[in-house]
Amino acid sequence: MVTRLFDLPTRRGRTAAGAAALTLALAACSGGGDDTASGEGEPVDGGTLVYATGDAEPTCLDPHVGGNYPQALISTQYLEPLVGRDADGEIQPWLATDWTVRDDGLTWDLTLAEGITFTDGTPLDAEAVKVNIEHLQDPDTASSTGWLAVQKIAEVEPVDETHVRLHLSEPDSALLESLSMQWTAMQSPAGIARGMEENCAAPIGTGPFVVAGWVPQQHVILERNEDYATPGPQTENDGPAHLERIEWRFLPDPATRWAALQSGEVHVIDNPEPEAIVAAEAGGEITHIDAPRPGSVNRIELNSAQAPFDDVRVRQAFVHSADVDPGIETLYQGVATRSHSPLSSVEPMAYSDPTLFTTDLEEAERLLDEAGWSQVDDEGYRVRDGERLTVRLPVSTNQSVAAEQALFEQIQANTRRVGFEVVLTPLDLSAWYGALAAPEDGGKNDYEAVSAPYTKVGPDVLRILYHSDSTVPAPSGYFANLSQVTDPELDALLDEAARSTDPERRAELYTEVQKRVLEGYYILPLYDQQNHFLARGVTDVRTLGTVSTPTFVDARLTS
Amino acid sequence: MTVLRWLLGRLAAAALVAWVVATVVFFALRAAGGDPSEAILGGPGSQASEEAMARVRAEYALDEPLVVQYLLQLARTVTFQLGDSYARRRPVAELVGDQLGGTLALAALGLLLAWLLALAVATAAVRARGRVARRAVGLLRAGEVVASVTPHFWLGAVLIAVVAGGAGWLPATSSDNSLRSLLLPAVTLAVPVAGFLGQVMRDGLEEAHTAPFATTARTRGASEGWVLWRHSLRHAALPAIALSGWAFGSLLSGAVVAETLFGRPGLGRLLVDATHSRDVPLVIGVVLVIALGYVAVMTVADVLERVVDPRLRVRVEAVRTAPAGEVVA
């Protein structure tokens, strides 16, 4: 028995000899083994796909409640939005087949697809849309992302069964983009009526799968919706999914997810480490899906509301000395591409200007001298009026991967060459938000620089991140405009863009907005928000053009 | 009478544990920053509406002064009213109950493996004869030291990469309480504890093996094996039993790492998640169960020591029941 074990085909390299002793002890218990065949097999119908996510386990499976990425990820399998977005960023029909907006931008008419029912048999009609939007707006739902998205809808008027009219309090050119997100996806009114606890455990939608069970900290079981009839704009299959079931597992450790994928325990993993992506790209039976998130890029925001970054010259000096390109290349091993834009590369309106982000130490030193930081202390840091040129950069260890933290350390070393002292403080998520919060809300604004992710479909994310309204903290003390830009001209451009229904004018305005943000050196763009999936033993996994979540409508296991 | 007093002492210890846990957890989570009402409204940075935040603050008494909140929490904790989790909106008792079995199974198998490993190493060490065997024992001693300082996360990661990912012999993920599923995480937990227990047992064995009672037994014609199993092991087991209470505590804290690494459900992961989201009732619930479990295991270890070592029982009884040779020592 023991000797036979060593003859089993191993996929990746032989085990270290040191493991041999242990193996003897384990041999007796390793009976089953995995029977997943290696190599490219034929796609088959049916079967259970095992998905292992590194994102947090949602506390509620209804993405209307709260509204974060882990909820979008899983709810894509059972809830569908009114509209979709294709790979080019164009809004496409989905549950709603058509829409018109009146000239004043305040009244939207949506036409719903006919004969659609939720998986509990409740019809998807105008009344259902009304219930959903009111659910998002109800404070008891505790919606955040979805609430922000439908904030400007003042009233939902069901005209007839398949026609619904939305009355807005002010024009909102981002409305369709907002309605394409999972956080505003449609749910059965009967499901919502069951109350939050039951709806959180198993939301009811029109998606290709149905929530069949949830064992917390372990998995959610999703079963095929046999009556599925509402394929989105990016899938081929127009009937029920090929897969019979999905087991959605929560595996927080990236090395474990990778090992589980290698050993055939799971078929798809998300949030892999760069090394795993490189290994997958090198060939073999693992496929890599690179699906950058929309909205903003990963960037370092420079806090322009307090010294030393209230001076544009100091911000510019920081940017010219950071020298991030070599770090990104080595740490991410080629899986992340440098960005020079506030927006993700998947946003059609993204504007990029690499000339602003060159590395130029002499220029950086000149700018710092000019800004009055001309003295140098014993340790080589610049000082002004006895005050050291210190940049506090709190790092959220829950949101930042090892490679990114190493990149921050490189930036720390690089900017030191011109006299910046960058203080990196690793914090857990809650303490990190505490460090960012405004003084009047118990926080301390304890940061001069910070990297904060933000995902929203479309360029309207710029309004959330750079409008002066967003420097006013929410009741939680959090605010999205972390670079604390307060520029009346920028506000005016953003307001006009939000009201404008003319796509060309909108594009012009957003280009202008991005130029102002970049030229003001408020941010140091790094790379797209990373969204990678590795798959093995499964074909036709696709990601949606909205928030880049995977869908398994077309997926088939390979024999 | 003495038994009753002893039992009352244990109950007092349990109450003290509850008070300390409630106090430390409450203030530590507050000092760490963050707003519990965020946890209730879907996590930090959720940008919930002002109205929603106000409702939640009122509902959970978060608008009361800190002292009042603390006293409320304390009152609930010492009466074992664990309440509802902020983030998961389910009763804490239910959440803890769901995860308790997995962690106990893991810790129990970990302790068993640690004992077996330590016993094997210690008996092999004292029974070693000849130069080569003696050399091997020297290596084993070094191995014990290395094992006892091996970090759980490192050992777990190596096991996952080599045994699961590389060779595919055992699953990298561990979802249920089957032996196949439990083995890798249990080994991860057992090795450092075994290293420590092994050193203690070997010292005890070596000492007992050369003690007068062992010599006496040998002169009466007892075989080496008989001396080892009948006499020496009892001596070696005593300090190891006393340490098992500590070991179990160490296994529970190690379970936090093992459960996260192997993606196992359990109290450890529940605690990590709850701490991240500042879910005060859930953190208190988990820590309380772990702390009380520790008190319980210590109690069992005390009882076991009395069973194994008659000298710890009432003196008269000891004289009556103990084997003649042992009273001398």
Side-chain angles (χ1 to χ4, degrees):
Chain A
M1 175 67 190
V2 170
T3 42
R4 262 211 56 213
L5 266 171
F6 286 92
D7 300 332
L8 286 177
T10 55
R11 275 167 221 99
R12 274 182 195 272
R14 278 282 171 176
T15 348
L22 185 66
T23 313
L24 298 179
L26 303 181
C29 315
S30 66
D34 75 278
D35 47 18
T36 317
S38 38
E40 287 289 318
E42 281 298 303
V44 292
D45 273 7
T48 300
L49 177 137
V50 186
Y51 182 99
T53 181
D55 273 29
E57 176 175 11
T59 50
C60 172
L61 298 182
D62 166 7
H64 289 189
V65 178
N68 59 14
Y69 200 77
Q71 289 176 308
L73 205 54
I74 188 167
S75 69
T76 300
Q77 318 317 323
Y78 46 81
L79 301 184
E80 294 175 324
L82 285 171
V83 291
R85 213 170 77 134
D86 61 23
D88 300 326
E90 292 291 324
I91 294 291
Q92 300 290 344
W94 199 333
L95 298 182
T97 52
D98 201 11
W99 48 85
T100 53
V101 57
R102 295 207 192 144
D103 287 344
D104 60 4
L106 291 172
T107 313
W108 288 73
D109 280 297
L110 305 184
T111 308
L112 302 173
E114 279 184 44
I116 302 301
T117 55
F118 293 100
T119 50
D120 63 349
T122 311
L124 170 80
D125 52 17
E127 196 60 45
V129 174
K130 182 178 162 75
V131 168
N132 271 273
I133 290 175
E134 285 173 357
H135 184 237
L136 284 163
Q137 291 176 335
D138 182 352
D140 279 341
T141 308
S143 177
S144 56
T145 317
W147 176 77
L148 278 175
V150 298
Q151 217 180 350
K152 291 180 187 167
I153 300 178
E155 199 204 324
V156 186
E157 180 196 341
V159 178
D160 59 41
E161 229 159 75
T162 54
H163 289 87
V164 63
R165 186 166 295 155
L166 307 178
H167 298 279
L168 271 56
S169 55
E170 53 182 303
D172 181 7
S173 62
L175 184 68
L176 290 174
E177 284 154 357
S178 295
L179 292 177
S180 76
M181 303 193 294
Q182 274 302 313
W183 302 298
T184 57
M186 293 293 119
Q187 299 182 48
S188 158
I192 289 173
R194 292 174 300 170
M196 195 195 274
E197 198 174 325
E198 244 180 281
N199 203 50
C200 273
I204 299 164
T206 57
F209 294 89
V210 177
V211 180
W214 180 11
V215 183
Q217 292 190 38
Q218 203 161 340
H219 58 232
V220 175
I221 298 293
L222 303 163
E223 267 166 17
R224 177 165 61 196
N225 170 8
E226 302 293 348
D227 305 318
Y228 183 64
T230 51
Q234 286 178 287
T235 50
E236 284 167 8
N237 192 359
D238 53 8
H242 303 295
L243 297 168
E244 206 170 317
R245 189 182 292 115
I246 299 175
E247 185 183 330
W248 193 276
R249 302 195 54 182
F250 304 101
L251 275 182
D253 187 75
T256 310
R257 286 197 300 282
W258 173 234
L261 184 75
Q262 284 176 299
S263 65
E265 283 167 63
V266 305
H267 298 98
V268 182
I269 62 173
D270 58 32
N271 295 286
E273 289 176 304
E275 300 78 55
I277 299 173
V278 171
E281 288 275 295
E285 49 202 55
I286 297 175
T287 44
H288 169 216
I289 301 163
D290 183 2
R293 292 189 194 179
S296 72
V297 279
N298 269 0
R299 69 222 172 269
I300 294 182
E301 307 265 356
L302 304 179
N303 181 358
S304 63
Q306 62 197 34
F309 285 146
D310 52 353
D311 186 329
V312 62
R313 292 169 296 191
V314 183
R315 298 199 294 271
Q316 194 178 347
F318 185 83
V319 164
H320 283 319
S321 60
D323 196 20
V324 292
D325 284 7
I328 293 174
E329 279 158 31
T330 54
L331 294 166
Y332 283 90
Q333 306 179 21
V335 301
T337 313
R338 175 73 201 272
S339 165
H340 302 97
S341 169
L343 289 181
S344 159
S345 64
V346 298
E347 288 298 342
M349 290 184 193
Y351 167 83
S352 195
D353 188 352
T355 61
L356 296 170
F357 299 97
T358 50
T359 298
D360 188 341
L361 298 186
E362 275 173 42
E363 175 69 358
E365 299 205 341
R366 192 188 63 76
L367 287 162
L368 288 177
D369 285 340
E370 209 180 283
W373 296 92
S374 45
Q375 307 291 312
V376 174
D377 69 12
D378 306 344
E379 292 174 62
Y381 296 113
R382 284 183 182 252
V383 283
R384 186 179 70 179
D385 306 328
E387 197 80 34
R388 187 181 272 186
L389 183 55
T390 301
V391 174
R392 291 166 299 170
L393 201 170
V395 179
S396 156
T397 50
N398 300 95
Q399 298 180 128
S400 185
V401 294
E404 188 179 72
Q405 290 172 35
L407 180 66
F408 294 154
E409 281 161 23
Q410 294 202 0
I411 291 172
Q412 180 184 43
N414 293 340
T415 53
R416 201 203 149 123
R417 292 182 296 178
V418 299
F420 279 100
E421 180 194 37
V422 176
V423 181
L424 293 171
T425 320
L427 297 168
D428 78 33
L429 193 56
S430 208
W432 182 77
Y433 276 112
L436 304 185
E440 58 266 35
D441 287 275
K444 282 165 283 186
N445 261 185
D446 270 348
Y447 74 100
E448 278 74 44
V450 71
S451 167
Y454 202 98
T455 303
K456 184 187 193 294
V457 171
D460 183 54
V461 71
L462 293 167
R463 181 178 57 82
I464 290 170
L465 295 176
Y466 304 111
H467 196 288
S468 62
D469 283 354
S470 302
T471 59
V472 180
S476 61
Y478 185 72
F479 51 96
N481 184 348
L482 291 167
S483 44
Q484 304 211 21
V485 191
T486 46
D487 174 354
E489 278 183 54
L490 197 57
D491 287 355
L493 290 167
L494 287 165
D495 289 339
E496 198 190 334
R499 281 195 305 267
S500 173
T501 42
D502 171 22
E504 266 174 51
R505 177 69 188 139
R506 219 179 151 219
E508 258 172 51
L509 289 162
Y510 281 127
T511 303
E512 202 50 45
V513 165
Q514 292 175 79
K515 274 187 180 165
R516 280 191 87 83
V517 170
L518 294 178
E519 283 164 9
Y521 290 100
Y522 294 108
I523 61 167
L524 172 60
L526 298 174
Y527 34 72
D528 283 332
Q529 290 188 63
Q530 301 287 294
N531 225 25
H532 298 274
F533 303 92
L534 299 181
R536 179 172 177 275
V538 57
T539 64
D540 297 289
V541 177
R542 312 196 190 290
T543 56
L544 296 185
T546 46
V547 289
S548 304
T549 49
T551 171
F552 299 98
V553 188
D554 293 336
R556 284 173 204 249
L557 299 179
T558 53
S559 59
Chain B
M1 183 60 205
T2 38
V3 173
L4 189 67
R5 187 182 292 169
W6 177 76
L7 205 65
L8 282 174
R10 289 292 161 165
L11 284 175
L16 188 71
V17 161
W19 175 65
V20 169
V21 164
T23 306
V24 169
V25 169
F26 182 85
F27 287 104
L29 283 184
R30 283 308 164 91
D35 185 340
S37 47
E38 280 172 355
I40 302 164
L41 287 171
S46 60
Q47 305 195 0
S49 70
E50 198 146 351
E51 221 180 328
M53 295 290 274
R55 271 169 193 242
V56 160
R57 289 214 169 98
E59 193 183 331
Y60 290 83
L62 293 168
D63 45 3
E64 299 287 340
L66 200 62
V67 184
V68 176
Q69 291 186 45
Y70 166 67
L71 290 175
L72 281 172
Q73 186 60 59
L74 191 62
R76 283 196 294 265
T77 308
V78 295
T79 52
F80 293 98
Q81 289 171 348
L82 299 176
D84 284 357
S85 150
Y86 284 170
R88 291 164 196 257
R89 295 154 206 266
R90 283 180 59 209
V92 168
E94 208 177 291
L95 288 166
V96 170
D98 281 352
Q99 308 299 345
L100 189 62
T103 302
L104 282 183
L106 180 60
L109 184 63
L111 191 61
L112 180 71
L113 286 179
W115 260 86
L116 291 179
L117 268 171
L119 257 179
V121 169
T123 49
V126 290
R127 301 204 67 174
R129 294 283 173 273
R131 218 165 48 178
V132 179
R134 284 275 162 210
R135 287 250 168 86
V137 169
L139 273 179
L140 270 182
R141 282 184 192 173
E144 281 168 0
V145 176
V146 172
S148 59
V149 297
T150 300
H152 291 133
F153 71 87
W154 179 83
L155 183 60
V158 168
L159 288 176
I160 286 168
V162 174
V163 182
W169 290 326
L170 281 171
T173 64
S174 163
S175 50
D176 52 29
N177 293 336
S178 69
L179 190 58
R180 187 177 147 74
S181 187
L182 275 171
L183 209 56
L184 282 190
V187 168
T188 304
L189 290 181
V191 167
V193 173
F196 203 79
L197 283 184
Q199 292 175 53
V200 173
M201 276 192 200
R202 191 171 36 72
D203 285 349
L205 269 188
E206 279 168 354
E207 197 189 317
H209 234 51
T210 52
F213 70 81
T215 318
T216 313
R218 284 194 194 96
T219 53
R220 279 185 305 191
S223 72
E224 259 326 284
W226 173 263
V227 172
L228 182 71
W229 287 105
R230 194 73 196 98
H231 299 288
S232 307
L233 268 180
R234 278 189 179 218
H235 280 258
L238 274 177
I241 288 174
L243 274 174
S244 288
W246 160 85
F248 195 73
S250 148
L251 290 169
L252 286 178
S253 67
V256 175
V257 176
E259 283 165 4
T260 307
L261 269 181
F262 290 90
R264 268 185 73 76
L267 289 184
R269 257 178 93 188
L270 196 62
L271 181 60
V272 172
D273 287 355
T275 308
H276 282 319
S277 55
R278 300 288 185 272
D279 193 339
V280 178
L282 188 53
V283 175
I284 289 182
V286 175
V287 177
L288 192 63
V289 165
I290 291 178
L292 291 178
Y294 185 69
V295 171
V297 170
M298 289 300 242
T299 308
V300 171
D302 272 6
V303 174
L304 268 181
E305 270 185 273
R306 280 167 172 75
V307 170
V308 173
D309 188 354
R311 288 169 304 174
L312 295 175
R313 292 181 218 150
V314 186
R315 196 121 202 89
V316 184
E317 204 189 330
V319 173
R320 226 185 309 127
T321 55
E326 287 192 27
V327 187
V328 186

